[in-house]
Structures are given as structure tokens and as C-alpha cells.
Amino acid sequence: MTAPTSAKPALRIRKAAVLGAGVMGAQIAAHLTNADVETVLFDLPAKEGPKSGIALKAIENLKKLSPAPLADKNRAAAIIPANYEENLDLLKDVDLVIEAIAERMDWKLDLYKKIAPHVSPTAVLASNTSGLSINGLAEALPEEMRHRFTGVHFFNPPRYMHLVELIPTRLTHPDVLAGLEAFLTTTVGKGVVYAKDTPNFIGNRIGVFSMLATMYHTEQFKLGFDTVDALTGPAVGRPKSATYRTADVVGLDTMAHVIKTMADTLADDPWHKYFKAPVWLQGLIDQGALGQKVGAGFYRKAGKDIVVLDVAKRDYRPSEQKASDEVAAILAIKDPAEKFAKLRASNDPQAQFLWATFRDLFHYTAYHLADIADTARDVDFAIRWGYGWKLGPFETWQAAGWQQVAGYIAEDIAAGKAMSDAPLPAWVTDGRTGVHGKNGSYSAAAGTDKPRSQHPVYARQLFPDPILGEKFDQGTTVWENDGIRLWTLGDDGVGIISFKTKMNTVNDFVLDGIQQAIDVAEQQLKAVVIWQTGEPFSAGADLKGALGLLQAGKFDDFDKMVANFQRTSMRIKHSLVPVVSAVRGLALGGGCEFQMHSARTVAALESYIGLVEAGVGLLPAGGGLHELAVRAAKENPADPFESLKKVFETVAMAKVSASALEAKQLGLMRDSDVVVFNAFELLYVAKKVAIGLAEQGYRPPMYDRNIPVAGDVGTATFRASLANLAAGYFASEHDVAIATRIADTLCGGVVERGSLVDEEWLLALERKHFVELAKTEKTQARIAHTMTTGKPLRN
């Protein structure tokens, strides 16, 4: 039977090309490669050496960057280097071409003319421009290609920033946009926001204005750059880099270029006179102090200290990043309406500064909403996902009391205090309580509320990123205790276990709760997913409770707690219904061990997984070492030692994976485990995997009574390598003692090489070494130090 002719084929992207191997182009290529998209990276032909030398150098450089653009450094080898002179024929079988060269309209237009004859007639073309006209760029393309051209603006760094702006031209075909949106959301893991074709689109238009307003008011209220950063970072729900540190990271020359673009392209903007680099910003650029990339900008390092530029002294001084007592007290107020009222009423210059920056941001964003975005939701998501704010500008305003704040803004405009005398749009004061509500978010262009997108890709997000006031179905509780909740969502028969502890740490209530929840699931459900309603998956064992038992000398109780931990892991492993761990964020210690014992792990790409107990003077004892020994025996029954080498180093050095892909390399996840690129799709995929296992007639692995081990010969080999580390002062005496016990457990204890042991033997070894280490003064000091400072102690 043939498919109906009206059915539209999905946009299938097997291979991509990125044009331009600069900072953004190379990192976009890296992230496409992370997502298993074969990618060709083009640049100009090199004048010396291999013709594709520029692309080759950029690919090599990807391995050195921090934060790492590659989720697994080995993937660099998969990127294909190319140049425009020799390799344009490679474009013929490419499904997606992303242009990411410098922000020069003439250069981009020339490149489009050069590639057009070589591009497949079905390929999608996109520009990663951060602000040039997409319609203007489309004019360089042959007419038959224009319906497949659009803007696709990634934010830097592309692997980590959730936002991608999709900017259609007047001619972009809706099917192209729908296909790209699905690809960007699921395959690449991004949050897509549609922007109108206006200069700098949404994220940079509003984000850069916010920085300009902050810089303007820095001068008006005569505040230091470090003080402004103390006020505009986490204290108001924004990243630690705040304003001036962010400018240093971005590069002051880049910042000045974006400001100039606004000045050149937004001549009619009522705020136009502020679109210029302040004198002191230009002064730094003229001196070559361009920020982090050259080691000096608003800040620089002086020895171990960070110093900040003092404009009055024209020199750097020690940074004293601190809010005044009055402003710190106001910012601590939980009620946003009271907080904003007090900021506005205060005579403290810092409070007046904060109110002024928020006022002008709200004013600007409301004034331009109709021009730049379809809805207020698009603006808030663009700023949250592109700039890392907890709330977007409209959400912040609505939370603070829409009409109260609108009144304040109108009064300040009338009194000449605002940056512009442009009136607030009439819709702002039409009696509304905000722009986000049960019918969706307000569209100033359409004069109505619009619901979320109905694109099928969003059915995969059971709990999407909520906009202010949004509530989602919290499911039906099946069973709970003080540690966990077992619940269902829909009628698919999959139970979800979520922890109730801070940082989802593991205590007795969690351990008992998991075991009882699995008992209930075996009676009533098809499968179970362990998924947390927020990150992290689990920060591991509750150290406070453990230290309390040790300091009180209650070693029997401590031993029982460890045994219960192991019992829980084994209950997960031997459950009659499949238990799937859905991991995102940190999965450390016990959290890592739970996912190791699950029938399958489904992990978001940005999962940081590790058995970190060595860092606090212990070894993994929730079954983690036992499971690694079992896996090594299965992988290499003739010589398990070969498979243990890599995992020994992983555990002894308390390594934490920098991604889910790296967790597979480190041996902490299996090849059969699933990596999901969009964390908002994690629960959906984990449930599907769990149902799939159940439908296959899942049976848990049988208890293993014949595990070949590396024995005392294996332990001795590991100990020899440890002696070299100690001799070179790379490991302390206690580090060696911990690592030796890890080796002994992985190798099955003092038995001959090739001996067969059972699982309980390995678990007992693990428990014995754990309790003996816990009794030592040095380990207790490490635990106490980590709890107090959050940092490991080397003793």
C-alpha cells in the first residue's frame, strides 16, 4: 500500500556542512558531531601546507577549548576538513548547510554565489548570522533555493547554550521550518524560538540593550564595575558572570561590534543615542585590553587575586564584589512586588541603579515586542536560554505586579527619569495582570494571547521548561514515604520514582523507599523509571548522616547503612519489572551506582557521572565496584584485568564524566545505554525504553555465582603503579591506601588469578573496605572538610 500523496516527508538530516571554521563555525560542527551528524567543516584554502589547513587547525583546537565543545574528544576525528577551492563537490550529498563566517554582508553574499551551483536541490541552507537581515542574504541565492533558506542563530558556546533562534525569510517554506525545528529540538537538543527578521533578532536585541542600560546607569550612579557585577548576577537570578565579567568573556571588541551593528541598523529606535560604546569601553579596546582572551579587560588576574578597573584612577584595584547592606536586605525579600517597591523607594544609589536598569529594560522590551517577536513567551525564553537568566524580562515584571510596575515606569517616563520618553504601548496598561496566562502568552502584533506551539516534537516534552505560572500534570501518587514518591503519568503502566531530599541525596528513607516502591511496582506496574523533577539526578549519599554515625562510634549502624545501600542497588538490578534510570545533571556516588544497576540508563547529554567516593577518603560501596568487576568478567572472562585497567583509574581518581558520551568511555555507562540531547525529552524517552523492555518480556539478570576475577596478581599490578604515583608525590599515603582497597575489591580479594567468586563475595569485600576506611581519622577529616567547604581535602 502506498502512502497518501498529501503526506509530507520528514526532513532527514544525515550529513551537514558548516561554512566557516572560526569560533562559532567550528563549535557548531563539534556539536553536530556530538549528535552523530556527519559534518564537513569548510574554510578558505590555506596559503601554506595542506589546502584544508585552516579547518584542520580549528578541529585540533576543539580538543583544547574549555568548556569542551566536544562531548567526547575522540569525535574530533569524525569532522571532515574542507576548503572552498578543492572540496565544493562535497556539498552535493549534504542535507543541511550552515554558514557561519564573519558578520560581513558582502562576504556572505559572495560565498552563497560560490556554493549555490554545488548544493543539492533538497538541501536546507541556513545562516548563523547574529543580526544581519535574513531576507537580504536570501537575495544572493538562485530563486529556486530561497524557499529552503532561513536564519539559524546558535548562541555561544553552542553545545551548552539552549537557545537557537529560527528566523524565516518571507519565502521560507513552512515544511522546511517545521523539519528544522524538530531536528534542532530532538537531535541537537535545543530550545527553538522564532524571531522576526529585525537587527540582532530577539536574544541579542534585548540582551545587549540590557547591558547597554547597565553600562549607562553604572556611570549615572558612579558605581564600580565589581559592585555592578555583585548586583546583576545571582542576586537577581542571572549568571555569576553578571555584566562586566560577561563582557570580558565575550570579548570587548565583539561587544563593541554588536553595539555598532545596533547603531548602524536601528537609526529610528527611540533609544538610538545610547547605542554607543562608553568612553571607558572604547579606551580598553584601544589599549588592546579585549577581555579574557588577552588576560585583561574590566578585570585581570594579579597573581592569585582578581583586580578590577577603576575608571577614576585609570588603574586596576582589588575587586570587592559586594552589595550594600540595605540592598542585600531588599534583594533577600521573597515577594517580588515588595522587593521592586523597596528598590524604587530606596535612596541607596545601588537600589536606584537596580530599579533604573530594570525599568529601562521593561520599557524597551514592551515597546519593541510587536516588532521583534510573535509573543512575550518568545522573548522570555530567548533571554533565559540565550543569556542564562532564571526569569525573562516579562516574567520578572509580571511576578513583581504588572500594573504596579507599569505605573512606576509611566511616572518615571513623565518625570524624565527613563532613558527614553517613548510612551509605553497602550496594551501594557489595559488592565491586564501580565502577559502570560492560562490562554497562552500575549502577542502584541496580533493583539491576543497565543498558546504554546502544537508542533508534534513538543509532545516529547512531558515537563517542558515552564513559563511563569505554568502548571503541568503532576501525575497520580501510587506510594510514598519521607524519601521518595512513586507515581504514574498517564495510563502506560510505568511508575516514576522521584526523590524528596535536597540535591536528591540518598538517606535511609530513600533506600527503604526505593526497595518498597519496587515491591509495589512488581505487583501493580509494567516498569519503573527513576527520574527527578529537577537536577541533579543525585549528589550521592547523605554525608552528614554518615559522619554522625562515625563520630558517635556507631560502626554497627554504619555497616547496616552500607548493607542497605547495596541491598537497594541489587533490588534495582534484580527487579522483576525493568528499572530505567533517567539521568540529567550530576549523578555522583550512590546516584551513579543506582544507574549502573538499572536495566538501562537513559542520560541527557549534559550528565556528569562519577564514583567520587575516593575524594572523601572512601570507596564506592553501593555495589558500584561489584558491578564493575561483574562487567569486566563478562567482557573478558579469560583475563578480567584487561577490562579493569580503565575503570580502576576512573574510580581511584574519582573522575566525573564531562558528558554522558564520556561516561560510556569511562566505563560508567554501557554501550546499550541511551543518550538524549534534549533534557526536556528525557522522561518521555526513558518511559518508551522502559515500556520497550517490558514488552520484550523483560527478565532481570540471574544472580552470578561464577565470576572470574583478577585476584591478588591483579591487585599487586595496580599497587605497583600506585607506588610510582606516590614516589612522584602525585598521591598521598592515604590516597594510596584508598586506591589499594579499590584495587583489592575490583580484583576479588586475596584469591588466585582466575578464581571464581559470587556476587555476595564482591559485595562483602566492598563493605569491609568501606567500613575500615571510614574508621580512619584521615577519612573522617576528609568527609568533614568536604561537608564544610565543598572541596576535597588531600591529607
Side-chain angles (χ1 to χ4, degrees), residues 485-503:
R485 175 185 178 229
L486 172 67
W487 53 290
T488 54
L489 188 67
D491 56 2
D492 56 10
V494 178
I496 302 164
I497 292 175
S498 301
F499 300 178
K500 297 179 178 182
T501 48
K502 188 177 179 184
M503 295 284 285

Side-chain angles (χ1 to χ4, degrees), residues 284-344:
L284 284 168
I285 294 167
D286 293 344
Q287 290 168 32
L290 304 179
Q292 191 169 283
K293 60 189 169 189
V294 298
F298 290 108
Y299 295 90
R300 68 175 170 82
K301 267 191 120 174
K304 289 188 177 176
D305 298 323
I306 301 286
V307 291
V308 63
L309 180 68
D310 187 315
V311 174
K313 294 178 182 171
R314 298 190 176 189
D315 199 1
Y316 289 88
R317 60 167 172 77
S319 175
E320 303 158 352
Q321 206 161 329
K322 193 172 177 292
S324 69
D325 292 345
E326 182 181 337
V327 169
I330 294 173
L331 292 176
I333 295 169
K334 291 276 187 283
D335 174 23
E338 184 188 348
K339 186 185 300 185
F340 271 85
K342 289 203 165 162
L343 280 176
R344 186 169 185 260

Side-chain angles (χ1 to χ4, degrees), residues 408-677:
Y408 293 162
I409 297 169
E411 284 173 25
D412 281 11
I413 294 170
K417 292 180 179 177
M419 285 170 72
S420 168
D421 59 4
L424 280 171
W427 61 263
V428 170
T429 51
D430 64 4
R432 66 179 52 251
T433 55
V435 288
H436 304 299
K438 63 180 188 300
N439 297 322
S441 296
Y442 186 66
S443 169
T448 186
D449 289 340
K450 290 193 177 183
R452 277 180 178 262
S453 167
Q454 292 303 299
H455 191 303
V457 76
Y458 298 114
R460 298 168 61 86
Q461 299 188 16
L462 304 180
F463 290 89
D465 199 356
I467 206 80
L468 185 73
E470 254 184 327
K471 295 278 188 288
F472 304 111
D473 181 2
Q474 298 302 299
T476 305
T477 301
V478 177
W479 182 89
E480 67 183 321
N481 70 351
D482 287 344
I484 68 111
R485 175 185 178 229
L486 172 67
W487 53 290
T488 54
L489 188 67
D491 56 2
D492 56 10
V494 178
I496 302 164
I497 292 175
S498 301
F499 300 178
K500 297 179 178 182
T501 48
K502 188 177 179 184
M503 295 284 285
N504 299 317
T505 50
V506 181
N507 60 17
D508 287 334
F509 292 115
V510 170
L511 295 171
D512 295 342
I514 291 172
Q515 292 175 53
Q516 287 186 251
I518 292 173
D519 289 346
V520 172
E522 287 179 338
Q523 300 300 316
Q524 301 178 25
L525 300 165
K526 276 187 196 172
V528 169
V529 170
I530 302 176
W531 177 81
Q532 313 300 5
T533 55
E535 288 187 23
F537 177 72
S538 175
D542 171 20
L543 285 177
K544 189 177 176 186
L547 187 62
L549 291 174
L550 292 174
Q551 289 175 334
K554 295 182 177 177
F555 296 115
D556 285 348
D557 290 344
F558 187 76
D559 187 64
K560 283 176 190 164
M561 183 193 79
V562 180
N564 199 26
F565 222 121
Q566 292 182 335
R567 215 166 21 251
T568 306
S569 291
M570 296 301 278
R571 189 73 187 90
I572 290 169
K573 182 173 181 175
H574 296 290
S575 164
L576 288 171
V577 295
V579 178
V580 171
S581 284
V583 175
R584 56 182 166 165
L586 294 173
L588 304 179
C592 176
E593 288 170 306
F594 288 161
Q595 67 83 23
M596 287 173 71
H597 286 82
S598 301
R600 196 77 85 248
T601 293
V602 178
L605 178 71
E606 299 309 331
S607 294
Y608 312 112
I609 300 172
L611 294 169
V612 294
E613 288 83 353
V616 288
L618 293 165
L619 51 72
L625 295 181
H626 136 276
E627 182 63 19
L628 290 172
V630 170
R631 288 182 190 179
K634 283 202 171 83
E635 207 174 278
N636 204 335
D639 187 8
F641 185 78
E642 281 307 304
S643 297
L644 289 174
K645 285 179 189 171
K646 177 174 65 182
V647 293
F648 171 70
E649 188 179 313
T650 297
V651 181
M653 296 180 70
K655 285 186 181 177
V656 177
S657 75
S659 71
L661 293 178
E662 193 183 56
K664 289 189 176 192
Q665 296 290 326
L666 294 175
L668 299 172
M669 280 173 63
R670 297 155 290 202
D671 287 342
S672 58
D673 290 332
V674 179
V675 178
V676 172
F677 272 62

Side-chain angles (χ1 to χ4, degrees), residues 241-444:
S241 55
T243 301
Y244 292 104
R245 280 184 193 276
T246 297
D248 273 355
V249 170
V250 169
L252 305 193
D253 50 342
T254 305
M255 183 84 197
H257 173 76
V258 175
I259 295 168
K260 185 177 184 305
T261 302
M262 289 180 80
D264 292 348
T265 54
L266 294 167
D268 297 333
D269 192 300
W271 284 261
H272 183 266
K273 67 180 178 184
Y274 301 102
F275 299 165
K276 60 177 190 283
V279 174
W280 31 264
L281 175 57
Q282 195 55 54
L284 284 168
I285 294 167
D286 293 344
Q287 290 168 32
L290 304 179
Q292 191 169 283
K293 60 189 169 189
V294 298
F298 290 108
Y299 295 90
R300 68 175 170 82
K301 267 191 120 174
K304 289 188 177 176
D305 298 323
I306 301 286
V307 291
V308 63
L309 180 68
D310 187 315
V311 174
K313 294 178 182 171
R314 298 190 176 189
D315 199 1
Y316 289 88
R317 60 167 172 77
S319 175
E320 303 158 352
Q321 206 161 329
K322 193 172 177 292
S324 69
D325 292 345
E326 182 181 337
V327 169
I330 294 173
L331 292 176
I333 295 169
K334 291 276 187 283
D335 174 23
E338 184 188 348
K339 186 185 300 185
F340 271 85
K342 289 203 165 162
L343 280 176
R344 186 169 185 260
S346 170
N347 289 321
D348 185 308
Q350 292 185 16
Q352 292 175 338
F353 160 82
L354 271 177
W355 161 249
T357 56
F358 274 111
R359 173 199 64 216
D360 292 319
L361 170 65
F362 296 158
H363 185 190
Y364 189 82
T365 310
Y367 185 88
H368 286 296
L369 174 59
D371 317 330
I372 65 171
D374 188 37
T375 70
R377 179 176 49 246
D378 296 326
V379 172
D380 281 339
F381 278 153
I383 293 297
R384 275 169 42 179
W385 296 343
Y387 281 77
W389 296 12
K390 283 193 177 159
L391 291 177
F394 286 125
E395 289 177 296
T396 307
W397 181 350
Q398 183 167 326
W402 186 269
Q403 289 303 335
Q404 170 181 285
V405 171
Y408 293 162
I409 297 169
E411 284 173 25
D412 281 11
I413 294 170
K417 292 180 179 177
M419 285 170 72
S420 168
D421 59 4
L424 280 171
W427 61 263
V428 170
T429 51
D430 64 4
R432 66 179 52 251
T433 55
V435 288
H436 304 299
K438 63 180 188 300
N439 297 322
S441 296
Y442 186 66
S443 169

Side-chain angles (χ1 to χ4, degrees), residues 166-185:
L166 202 49
I167 312 102
T169 70
R170 288 183 290 274
L171 300 174
T172 312
H173 198 288
D175 292 350
V176 168
L177 294 168
L180 259 183
E181 186 170 4
F183 170 76
L184 290 165
T185 303

